[in-house]
Amino acid sequence: MLGESINFDDFKNKLEKAGKAWFGWEEIKNHIELANWAIRTRFETLSSVSALAATLLIIATFNDKLITLDNYVRVLLTILLIMIPGSLWGLFYETSKAAGDSFKKIYEVAEKSMGKETADKMKIARNPSIRGAIPLIVYMIFTLVSLAIILLIWR
């Protein structure tokens, strides 16, 4: 889980005020932008999760007059209900990996160009936070709800 996203302009201003020499600025800028994109993308998925949860409610309230819940329909619903949280976990993994790799590269370039002390200060942006944990918590809840609905379908 990653904490707050990095504000590129604030970081640049702090370095300029401190009179730090800046080498590798463009490379770090690219990695900062990638890390920010990965963090934003994770949060953008929350609206998709809400839409999927609404869909699950519709499925859960099917009337027997609309669709007979035979074994064929149960298998199809089970597959769909497994695929939804599975794809969300895959997306969570990929965005977390991209952000983590970017922060690692930012640290490496900053350490080479500005020294270890300044680079260590940049690690603060990677500390876990509540805001960074929200997507993980929502995915866990959504997975548990999906599993509960699967159990209800097969009872």
Side-chain angles (χ1 to χ4, degrees):
M1 290 178 296
L2 299 173
E4 302 295 319
S5 61
I6 297 171
N7 185 319
F8 177 71
D9 293 327
D10 287 346
F11 183 69
K12 182 179 177 184
N13 291 336
K14 286 178 186 177
L15 287 174
E16 288 173 353
K17 285 179 184 176
K20 298 284 183 182
W22 185 255
F23 304 102
W25 178 249
E26 287 300 317
E27 187 175 356
I28 287 183
K29 178 183 173 186
N30 290 337
H31 289 290
I32 288 172
E33 289 172 358
L34 178 61
N36 286 334
W37 169 84
I39 292 167
R40 277 191 308 273
T41 299
R42 233 185 321 170
F43 281 98
E44 290 170 359
T45 62
L46 292 178
S47 61
S48 298
V49 170
S50 298
L52 293 172
T55 303
L56 286 179
L57 285 176
I58 293 169
I59 291 172
T61 58
F62 270 158
N63 187 334
D64 282 342
K65 295 177 184 175
L66 296 175
I67 293 180
T68 305
L69 195 60
D70 59 5
N71 285 338
Y72 177 73
V73 173
R74 285 185 175 115
V75 169
L76 290 177
L77 288 175
T78 301
I79 291 170
L80 290 173
L81 290 170
I82 290 172
M83 287 174 56
I84 294 168
S87 63
L88 290 174
W89 282 107
L91 179 63
F92 181 80
Y93 171 78
E94 288 299 320
T95 56
S96 296
K97 185 176 182 295
D101 291 347
S102 291
F103 277 118
K104 182 179 175 184
K105 190 65 174 175
I106 290 167
Y107 178 78
E108 289 172 4
V109 173
E111 186 178 32
K112 288 177 188 174
S113 63
M114 295 177 285
K116 183 167 178 36
E117 183 180 325
T118 304
D120 285 341
K121 291 179 183 176
M122 295 175 70
K123 283 187 174 181
I124 293 170
R126 190 171 177 176
N127 290 343
S129 71
I130 296 297
R131 193 180 106 188
I134 290 172
L136 179 63
I137 293 167
V138 170
Y139 293 165
M140 285 181 187
I141 292 169
F142 191 75
T143 300
L144 292 174
V145 168
S146 296
L147 292 174
I149 292 173
I150 290 171
L151 292 175
L152 289 173
I153 289 171
W154 285 99
R155 68 175 174 111

